[in-house]
Amino acid sequence: MTENPRLPIHAATGTELTAKSWQTEAPLRMLMNNLDPENAERPEDLVVYGGTGKAARSWEAYDALVRTLRTLEDDETMLVQSGKPVGVMRTNEWAPRVLIANSNLVGDWANWEEFRRLEDLGLTMYGQMTAGSWIYIGTQGILQGTFETFAAIADKSYDHTLAGTITVTAGLGGMGGAQPLAVTMNDGVAICIECDQSRITRRIEHRFLDVQARDLDHALELALEARDAGKPLSIGVLGNAAEVVPELLQRHLAAKEAGGGLIDIVTDQTSAHDPLFYLPVGVPFEEWQTQRESDPVGFTKAAQAAMAAHVRAMVEFQDAGAEVFDYGNSIRDEARKGGYDRAFEFPGFVPAYIRPLFCEGKGPFRWAALSGDPADIAATDRAIKELFPADAKPEYARLHKWLDMAAERVSFQGLPARICWLGYGERHLAGLKFNEMVASGELKAPIVIGRDHLDCGSVASPYRETEQMLDGSDAIADWALLNALVNTASGASWVSIHHGGGVGMGRSIHAGQVCVADGTDLAAAKIERVLTNDPGMGVIRHVDAGYDLASEVAAERGVRIPMQES
């Protein structure tokens, strides 16, 4: 392979600009941060996470993005079409500096086969969610949402703690790496199956995973010892989930027959959204890339058959009394395509645990320190605690618990960053506080404020965020498009609309926004609008779907709903 002189890529830090203003310096640094070796799965291929999620379409496109961001004026907007800058337009200082559209195909053509044909022609790329929108912050980016999900399971079934329980999951990539730490943050034990040794090693190095077992027997020995002692522990085991999960099921059933049991909770976070990135049974790991490239159709069928075996075991774990859920990677639909007709008998995590939070406009609020100084994140952590005192509401006590654990246990990847779930009426307060801290010099440089596309009002995804909507509106994508439009109108620094995300082509439309707190009055005005209107979309989306809790929130907090006005 030819050496790439661009690698390794690291975002600039400190206060010296390499672009014309912080409003353009911020997307430049965040683009480069996505491709930092601490973040990116395969930076040499521009892949950030999820097997295929890219930050730019090609190296030529990356160079043009960097060059354009460095010369862009504060009344200009760069247009990015699936990872390639295609134009610069004169707009105004309130307009976004960057508008991004990734992987969007017309309905009848929105499938993997057509996408790959167009990708091979160099006409598109897969942007995942935060890969192609330049707001990825490493595995931490999904960590609090995963923490909240397991906390909801603990509240529902285990007396508010996972102590004394064992969770089984698979996949330790950029997203799946959050699951072991989220389980142990809730005091549980996790067995995490992964077919790529480098991912297990990476998660241990970054402290998302505690130990690696020698084999499955050793993993169970460690898990049972920790469970019985009530101690949190996460254990990685090398293997193929389509083989290991069924084997664990058989051992679990045998233990139940003997009067015991092994496994309490089962989920998955493999890259199942794209069958080419799920390893079929019988394919050696070393031959994975060669086989998927030489026969993608045959490989897809083999992967779907493997997923069918994997999901069958998950369903039978549920039959045996375990708590089982899909964590949003579309493995159930791929298993259905692989011939397993019970694939949808366990729920997705949003309808099972998260929807009440969405009704309140709550979701993953994240920020990164452009200074590169961890002290800036420590200062923002303190500010969040002051804004939302632990004794004010029970959910704020959990927020404080999260911030304390994150400060102690989360390793930064690339630029220092943080995430926490905040709702309507809360996010703009945090944004304005950060902007004040930049203006006063308490923070050394501006803060970039974004979120996951997995949010309360920014996505249509019938197998994940909008699964089982009360009114049956799961597949209506108008909401994601309206979200992007209102964030553009409200003054976000950059806005994106993507197709596919973590569930694959044909299965979702989602939007993202980012604001830059640079300490100016203009930034404050934009932040107040964007960080009010963005989560407000979640409230009105759920009011429209008929959720009483959302209607109560709208009435209590002054969200106007025209159809409810006389």
Side-chain angles (χ1 to χ4, degrees):
M1 180 184 292
T2 304
E3 282 292 316
N4 188 332
R6 306 172 188 82
L7 299 174
I9 293 172
H10 301 285
T13 57
T15 58
E16 184 175 342
L17 291 171
T18 63
K20 290 194 171 186
S21 76
W22 282 110
Q23 292 295 319
T24 48
E25 181 76 18
L28 174 61
R29 291 192 187 188
M30 295 306 292
L31 165 63
M32 300 178 84
N33 191 58
N34 268 19
L35 293 169
D36 189 298
E38 287 291 298
N39 267 328
E41 284 184 4
R42 299 197 316 276
E44 67 276 11
D45 297 323
L46 293 159
V47 171
V48 182
Y49 70 87
T52 54
K54 299 175 75 173
R57 191 188 306 183
S58 65
W59 284 110
E60 293 76 14
Y62 170 80
D63 290 341
L65 288 166
V66 170
R67 185 171 62 247
T68 307
L69 286 167
R70 283 180 172 155
T71 58
L72 204 63
E73 302 288 350
D74 278 344
D75 63 350
E76 291 182 323
T77 298
M78 178 173 67
L79 306 178
V80 181
Q81 182 262 318
S82 289
K84 182 178 79 172
V86 292
V88 173
M89 298 292 189
R90 180 85 180 273
T91 53
N92 59 75
E93 63 180 5
W94 270 83
R97 298 283 68 81
V98 187
L99 291 171
I100 301 171
N102 284 322
S103 323
N104 293 288
L105 300 182
V106 174
D108 279 358
W109 287 264
N111 56 67
W112 279 119
E113 293 75 20
E114 179 64 9
F115 171 81
R116 291 189 180 113
R117 185 185 75 81
L118 294 167
E119 185 181 39
D120 288 344
L121 291 172
L123 299 174
T124 191
M125 76 164 202
Y126 201 66
Q128 276 280 357
M129 287 187 155
T130 53
S133 59
W134 314 337
I135 191 61
Y136 187 62
I137 60 169
T139 302
Q140 183 189 176
I142 198 173
L143 179 59
Q144 200 202 357
T146 313
F147 166 79
E148 293 284 352
T149 298
F150 281 106
I153 296 169
D155 290 344
K156 171 187 173 186
S157 304
Y158 299 106
D159 197 25
H160 310 294
T161 177
L162 294 184
T165 67
I166 296 175
T167 295
V168 166
T169 187
L172 287 171
M175 296 289 97
Q179 292 204 333
L181 184 52
V183 172
T184 58
M185 281 180 158
N186 281 287
D187 306 314
V189 176
I191 296 174
C192 307
I193 305 153
E194 172 56 60
C195 61
D196 183 344
Q197 177 61 51
S198 69
R199 289 183 172 182
I200 297 176
T201 302
R202 183 182 176 100
R203 296 304 158 217
I204 291 173
E205 289 173 350
H206 289 164
R207 300 189 298 152
F208 283 90
L209 182 69
D210 293 327
V211 297
Q212 179 173 357
R214 294 187 300 271
D215 51 31
L216 186 58
D217 289 334
H218 187 217
L220 282 169
E221 178 185 333
L222 292 172
L224 290 169
E225 181 182 346
R227 181 197 69 181
D228 293 345
K231 294 181 179 179
L233 182 69
S234 58
I235 305 151
V237 60
L238 187 65
N240 188 318
E243 297 175 297
V244 178
V245 177
E247 172 64 20
L248 278 169
L249 171 67
Q250 295 310 310
R251 297 191 188 203
H252 177 71
L253 293 176
K256 281 184 70 78
E257 285 185 12
L262 301 175
I263 310 303
D264 302 284
I265 302 163
V266 182
T267 187
D268 178 62
Q269 191 73 106
T270 57
S271 293
H273 68 285
D274 184 345
L276 296 185
F277 287 84
Y278 185 102
L279 185 64
V281 174
V283 174
F285 176 79
E286 297 75 18
E287 297 179 17
W288 188 350
Q289 181 173 350
T290 302
Q291 290 201 27
R292 74 177 178 235
E293 290 176 354
S294 63
D295 181 16
V297 174
F299 192 98
T300 293
K301 290 180 180 178
Q304 288 169 336
M307 284 188 260
H310 184 168
V311 170
R312 178 189 296 275
M314 294 176 72
V315 169
E316 292 179 6
F317 263 116
Q318 181 173 261
D319 291 343
E323 185 90 10
V324 181
F325 63 97
D326 181 315
Y327 200 66
N329 60 354
S330 219
I331 194 170
R332 291 173 298 170
D333 196 47
E334 294 299 329
R336 177 189 63 80
K337 291 178 180 177
Y340 184 52
D341 60 7
R342 295 185 64 196
F344 280 88
E345 290 193 14
F346 58 85
F349 76 106
V350 172
Y353 313 115
I354 299 297
R355 182 137 300 139
L357 298 179
F358 281 2
C359 288
E360 295 185 61
K362 289 186 177 177
F365 176 84
R366 64 175 64 168
W367 63 97
L370 295 181
S371 66
D373 189 340
D376 277 0
I377 293 300
T380 57
D381 284 350
R382 292 192 297 271
I384 292 290
K385 288 182 176 183
E386 291 169 6
L387 282 171
F388 309 111
D391 57 1
K393 294 181 181 180
E395 57 263 39
Y396 292 168
R398 179 172 282 174
L399 171 61
H400 281 235
K401 177 184 177 182
W402 156 255
L403 290 171
D404 290 341
M405 288 191 297
E408 177 186 348
R409 302 176 65 178
V410 172
S411 297
F412 296 134
Q413 295 170 249
L415 291 172
R418 184 68 74 229
I419 185 168
C420 68
W421 279 44
L422 294 177
Y424 182 82
E426 298 170 342
R427 296 190 206 185
H428 75 284
L429 297 178
L432 289 171
K433 179 62 177 176
F434 295 168
N435 199 59
E436 291 173 8
M437 295 166 76
V438 174
S440 70
E442 185 176 354
L443 298 177
K444 298 176 183 67
I447 294 287
V448 166
I449 304 167
R451 56 162 172 75
D452 199 347
H453 292 205
L454 188 168
D455 199 17
C456 53
S458 63
V459 60
S461 184
Y463 294 152
R464 195 160 79 180
E465 293 88 347
T466 54
E467 180 178 338
Q468 297 178 11
M469 293 297 288
L470 194 60
D471 63 347
S473 61
D474 304 21
I476 293 178
D478 299 343
W479 302 98
L481 303 179
L482 286 170
N483 178 271
L485 289 169
V486 77
N487 283 324
T488 299
S490 300
S493 298
W494 67 96
V495 177
S496 53
I497 299 175
H498 291 198
H499 181 104
V503 291
M505 294 304 297
R507 297 183 179 127
S508 74
I509 301 290
H510 44 93
Q513 63 78 17
V514 184
C515 294
V516 180
D518 62 12
T520 64
D521 291 343
L522 179 60
K526 293 178 177 182
I527 285 167
E528 183 169 19
R529 286 163 176 78
V530 174
L531 297 185
T532 299
N533 296 338
D534 185 46
M537 284 296 306
V539 176
I540 66 170
R541 197 269 178 267
H542 288 85
V543 169
D544 196 76
Y547 290 91
D548 291 340
L549 175 57
S551 293
E552 292 167 10
V553 169
E556 174 189 298
R557 303 181 194 176
V559 181
R560 289 191 63 186
I561 309 293
M563 296 298 289
Q564 294 184 358
E565 295 177 346
S566 56

